[in-house]
Amino acid sequence: MNLSNAALGKIVALTTAATITAVLVAGCISVTVSNKDRIIMGVQSNGTTIAGLSKNEARKFFTDTAASKLQRKAAVLTYKERIFQIDPADINLHGNVDKAVETAYSIGRDGTAIENIITQMRCAIFGTTVTMDASFDEQLLHDKLQQIKTAIDTPPKNGSVILQADGSIRKTPAVIGLSLDIDPIIAELSPDFQTFNLTVKKELTPSEQLPFVQDNDLAFMDGILGSYTTRFYPGDRGDNIGLAASHLQGALIRSGATLSFNDTVGPRTHEAGYKDAGVIVYGKHSIDVGGGVCQVSSTLYNAILLAGLTPVERTGHFASSSYVPAGRDATVADGLIDFVFRNPLPHPVYLTIANSGSALTVYVLGTKADLAGKSIALVTEGSSMRPSLYRLWKQNGEILEREFLHTDAYEPLKNT
């Protein structure tokens, strides 16, 4: 029988494939028999062969391996000199033993017959590694990091100045706020915990929040630049005065900056704690919420004038007030009339308040050198119904400047 070259090639190829298949089948029958109900040859984990182990024996192996990896280890988180640990028990970290056992046992068994034969032969020759991963309770990790966040987080706190009885001042340093964001930490630690990596050492970096009043704002502050006192009777009106004045306590006005009375004190409402008391509305005595607050703005007005600061927005009352000389008042009204002043001095100024319950004093603290040895006096000229206010700048008893501020025109009250 004469065969073509093509036909002869096909016969040779089929014969070769059949021979290889026969070898594989013969070899794998032997391997399969020896691996019956056991992990196949060539499988290892954690640097140790686990071939030939039954499922129960493999479970014990992986359980012991997990225990060894978790023994006496903890992730260490630090912030400056503070140290925090996350122990495996804190987050219920454990090895996925059953998953590892099933992965190891299924090698060479989870495919078709021919696929399993090939896999078993390849594994016997080249080997394969099963890596056990770990799981943890995400909520426990969140709770643990939340505890660390609570220990680190610090609200910012303004630097402050306390006026002593002898006129000197005592400064309290500012506190920089800290806030730790734990979500990125969870994302960073999770892969390590899932691979039993408990040798983590991480430096925590909470974000910083600077307070408004910082130490450098107070660095050159050394005394009182100006102050003014007005008196009042205790009661609802006095309570309103004390409440409004408390919002001015610790106000800092940097060089070139302004302060708005209305923005600083806030709305005068019952919800804000203000009471009904006497006010003047359209030239008539009346009762309204927040009565008495204009005494605070007027006291502040006199104090800032004596400290060398510059009024930007100021309005006199309809009629002259009893608590300050004519022409030296400053009325305010929510959303309508504001009192605003600016700090023209080289350094910041700081307001501090004294309230005895019957007398209110506003102190303007600052750097004495900013006034260059000058003193300030206020002089009112004209009648009580049309007063003109001047500010006198003096040095060594001599008047250096006579500064005109304004002329008011009061009206008589329409009722008593």
Side-chain angles (χ1 to χ4, degrees):
M1 178 175 60
N2 295 323
L3 296 175
S4 67
N5 291 335
L8 183 61
K10 288 182 179 180
I11 293 173
V12 171
L14 290 172
T15 303
T16 303
T19 302
I20 293 173
T21 301
V23 171
L24 286 173
V25 170
C28 285
I29 288 174
S30 174
V31 172
T32 300
V33 170
S34 65
N35 289 333
K36 185 178 181 180
D37 295 328
R38 302 276 175 170
I39 295 174
I40 68 172
M41 294 173 57
V43 179
Q44 62 176 344
S45 179
N46 202 40
T48 302
T49 181
I50 56 174
L53 297 184
S54 66
K55 278 191 173 182
N56 286 338
E57 291 169 339
R59 184 171 288 105
K60 182 178 185 305
F61 169 82
F62 284 115
T63 300
D64 293 344
T65 298
S68 175
K69 288 178 177 290
L70 296 175
Q71 189 175 17
R72 297 188 303 276
K73 292 183 178 179
V76 177
L77 312 181
T78 61
Y79 175 66
K80 295 184 177 179
E81 71 282 356
R82 303 174 69 179
I83 300 175
F84 307 93
Q85 285 191 176
I86 301 179
D87 295 312
D90 294 335
I91 59 175
N92 190 25
L93 183 66
H94 58 279
N96 293 321
V97 172
D98 290 340
K99 176 184 174 184
V101 171
E102 290 302 321
T103 298
Y105 186 77
S106 66
I107 296 174
R109 291 185 170 91
D110 58 355
T112 64
I114 191 64
E115 288 172 342
N116 288 342
I117 291 173
I118 294 172
T119 299
Q120 291 182 27
M121 288 296 293
R122 182 184 294 115
C123 186
I125 296 171
F126 300 106
T128 190
T129 298
V130 175
T131 302
M132 177 175 57
D133 59 10
S135 294
F136 60 92
D137 190 318
E138 293 182 3
Q139 185 60 51
L140 289 178
L141 177 58
H142 181 279
D143 294 345
K144 182 65 176 180
L145 289 173
Q146 185 63 45
Q147 294 174 10
I148 297 173
K149 173 180 173 63
T150 300
I152 290 177
D153 280 9
T154 305
K157 185 176 181 181
N158 285 331
S160 62
V161 178
I162 296 176
L163 184 62
Q164 311 265 47
D166 61 358
S168 63
I169 61 176
R170 177 166 58 86
K171 302 172 187 176
T172 300
V175 175
I176 296 175
L178 299 174
S179 180
L180 182 66
D181 186 359
I182 63 175
D183 288 340
I185 302 174
I186 292 175
E188 183 177 345
L189 293 179
S190 293
D192 287 315
F193 292 154
Q194 290 165 350
T195 56
F196 289 101
N197 180 17
L198 293 171
T199 60
V200 177
K201 292 186 178 181
K202 176 176 177 56
E203 175 68 22
L204 300 175
T205 55
S207 60
E208 294 186 348
Q209 299 155 353
L210 296 177
F212 179 74
V213 181
Q214 301 176 37
D215 292 345
N216 60 334
D217 291 317
L218 310 178
F220 298 99
M221 206 164 284
D222 57 6
I224 302 170
L225 302 185
S227 66
Y228 196 76
T229 300
T230 60
R231 301 188 178 279
F232 57 90
Y233 291 106
D236 290 346
R237 185 176 182 279
D239 292 344
N240 290 339
I241 289 173
L243 178 57
S246 68
H247 291 287
L248 297 172
Q249 178 66 48
L252 181 88
I253 307 93
R254 294 189 174 92
S255 177
T258 60
L259 180 140
S260 160
F261 183 90
N262 284 346
D263 289 348
T264 304
V265 173
R268 278 73 78 182
T269 62
H270 290 125
E271 291 76 14
Y274 289 94
K275 301 176 180 178
D276 292 333
V279 295
I280 296 176
V281 180
Y282 300 115
K284 294 182 179 181
H285 285 290
S286 183
I287 300 293
D288 198 4
V289 60
V293 171
C294 286
Q295 182 164 343
V296 180
S297 57
S298 296
T299 308
L300 176 63
Y301 178 49
N302 282 265
I304 68 105
L305 289 178
L306 293 169
L309 307 183
T310 303
V312 174
E313 184 179 337
R314 173 264 173 192
T315 303
H317 285 81
F318 180 89
S320 60
S321 303
S322 60
Y323 43 80
V324 291
R328 291 169 58 174
D329 57 317
T331 186
V332 289
D334 283 352
L336 295 173
I337 305 172
D338 199 2
F339 168 52
V340 181
F341 66 92
R342 181 174 61 86
N343 174 17
L345 303 176
H347 295 96
V349 297
Y350 183 93
L351 302 182
T352 187
I353 309 298
N355 180 10
S356 70
S358 60
L360 174 70
T361 303
V362 175
Y363 295 94
V364 181
L365 308 181
T367 305
K368 292 180 180 179
D370 287 352
L371 294 180
K374 300 173 185 176
S375 61
I376 298 172
L378 301 177
V379 174
T380 304
E381 296 181 355
S383 67
S384 61
M385 298 298 288
R386 192 173 177 81
S388 294
L389 181 61
Y390 294 85
R391 178 160 55 177
L392 304 183
W393 297 77
K394 300 180 179 180
Q395 193 165 38
N396 298 325
E398 296 184 3
I399 298 176
L400 300 179
E401 181 184 354
R402 179 181 171 88
E403 178 187 4
F404 171 75
L405 295 173
H406 55 76
T407 297
D408 289 334
Y410 297 122
E411 299 289 340
L413 291 174
K414 298 177 182 179
N415 62 354
T416 59

